[in-house]
Short mmCIF file of all heavy atoms in Angstrom, two decimals:
data_model
loop_
_atom_site.label_atom_id
_atom_site.label_comp_id
_atom_site.label_asym_id
_atom_site.label_seq_id
_atom_site.Cartn_x
_atom_site.Cartn_y
_atom_site.Cartn_z
N MET M 1 32.97 -1.95 -9.89
CA MET M 1 32.80 -1.65 -8.50
C MET M 1 34.15 -1.41 -7.83
O MET M 1 34.27 -0.53 -7.00
CB MET M 1 32.08 -2.79 -7.79
CG MET M 1 31.85 -2.46 -6.33
SD MET M 1 31.53 -3.86 -5.29
CE MET M 1 33.12 -4.52 -5.07
N GLU M 6 32.13 1.51 -4.55
CA GLU M 6 30.74 1.51 -4.12
C GLU M 6 30.24 0.08 -3.96
O GLU M 6 30.56 -0.79 -4.75
CB GLU M 6 29.86 2.24 -5.12
CG GLU M 6 30.16 3.72 -5.22
CD GLU M 6 29.26 4.41 -6.23
OE1 GLU M 6 28.21 3.84 -6.59
OE2 GLU M 6 29.62 5.52 -6.65
N LEU M 23 19.58 -27.36 -15.50
CA LEU M 23 19.52 -25.92 -15.26
C LEU M 23 18.24 -25.59 -14.49
O LEU M 23 17.15 -25.99 -14.89
CB LEU M 23 19.54 -25.17 -16.59
CG LEU M 23 19.81 -23.68 -16.52
CD1 LEU M 23 21.19 -23.40 -15.92
CD2 LEU M 23 19.72 -23.07 -17.91
N PRO M 91 -2.30 3.05 8.01
CA PRO M 91 -3.46 3.90 7.69
C PRO M 91 -3.04 5.36 7.57
O PRO M 91 -2.40 5.90 8.45
CB PRO M 91 -4.39 3.69 8.88
CG PRO M 91 -3.96 2.41 9.50
CD PRO M 91 -2.48 2.31 9.24
N ARG M 102 -18.27 -3.35 -13.55
CA ARG M 102 -19.69 -3.16 -13.29
C ARG M 102 -19.94 -2.03 -12.30
O ARG M 102 -20.90 -1.29 -12.43
CB ARG M 102 -20.30 -4.46 -12.81
CG ARG M 102 -20.45 -5.47 -13.94
CD ARG M 102 -21.24 -6.69 -13.50
NE ARG M 102 -21.55 -7.53 -14.62
CZ ARG M 102 -20.74 -8.47 -15.10
NH1 ARG M 102 -19.57 -8.65 -14.56
NH2 ARG M 102 -21.10 -9.22 -16.12
N GLN M 129 -22.56 12.63 2.02
CA GLN M 129 -23.57 11.57 1.94
C GLN M 129 -23.24 10.40 2.86
O GLN M 129 -23.82 9.34 2.73
CB GLN M 129 -23.72 11.08 0.49
CG GLN M 129 -24.27 12.12 -0.46
CD GLN M 129 -24.59 11.52 -1.81
OE1 GLN M 129 -25.41 10.60 -1.91
NE2 GLN M 129 -23.95 12.03 -2.85
N GLN M 136 -14.71 5.08 7.13
CA GLN M 136 -13.73 5.37 8.18
C GLN M 136 -14.10 4.67 9.48
O GLN M 136 -13.22 4.17 10.19
CB GLN M 136 -13.60 6.89 8.42
CG GLN M 136 -12.43 7.25 9.29
CD GLN M 136 -11.09 6.82 8.68
OE1 GLN M 136 -10.81 7.14 7.53
NE2 GLN M 136 -10.29 6.09 9.42
#
Side-chain angles (χ1 to χ4, degrees):
M1 183 200 77
E6 294 180 18
L23 194 61
R102 287 188 171 86
Q129 295 189 59
Q136 191 61 52

